[in-house]
Amino acid sequence: MSDGDAFLDPDASREYLRSWKDRVDQQAANTQAMSDRIGQLRVSAEDGNRLAEVTIDASGLLVELKLTDRIHQFAPEVVSRAVMAALRDARVKAAAQSREIAVETMGPDSLSARTIADRMQQLLEPPEPEPGPPGETTPGIGRH
């Protein structure tokens, strides 16, 4: 029986539609599971000098900031850079974890998983800054 003939057979047509509906239902369940897991995602990171620890949600929003007593030994701009460094690290980690969740729930070959993971990465990981003029350096976090 050819594919065209299968659609003329009522039983084969019903089975095809039932199978198609089952796949759509499974895809919807996987998408909901992924959405729930990403929605609950919280990622923490600290800067290299352990001045600040941040926790963000799946969209990269800061939900908690902890500063250590060591901040009193540093200039405010150093502490600010520490917070921003921790935030960048947390966002990179969140993008990676979102990718893992998408692949786990949707499957490694899923175009939807890849698309969602790529979108989360774009949202969470800003592009690298353009390099400045030759000889210009960005001051790092220094210890006093």
Side-chain angles (χ1 to χ4, degrees), residues 30-83:
N30 290 348
T31 301
Q32 185 61 53
M34 179 188 61
S35 176
D36 291 347
R37 287 182 61 193
I38 288 176
Q40 295 170 1
L41 185 66
R42 297 290 182 270
V43 177
S44 297
E46 64 181 21
D47 71 288
N49 288 324
R50 296 185 315 208
L51 298 177
E53 179 182 347
V54 300
T55 301
I56 63 169
D57 66 12
S59 63
L61 294 176
L62 185 64
V63 294
E64 186 174 10
L65 171 63
K66 295 179 185 175
L67 300 173
T68 67
D69 287 339
R70 296 183 63 236
I71 64 167
H72 301 292
Q73 301 168 13
F74 294 87
E77 60 271 7
V78 173
V79 175
S80 175
R81 285 194 306 269
V83 171

Side-chain angles (χ1 to χ4, degrees), residues 9-27:
D9 176 13
D11 290 333
S13 293
R14 275 192 285 281
E15 182 55 37
Y16 173 81
L17 291 174
R18 192 174 10 263
S19 173
W20 179 81
K21 183 185 179 308
D22 289 347
R23 284 192 308 273
V24 169
D25 289 347
Q26 184 60 52
Q27 182 75 11

Side-chain angles (χ1 to χ4, degrees), residues 1-8:
M1 183 180 300
S2 71
D3 289 342
D5 293 338
F7 280 106
L8 297 177

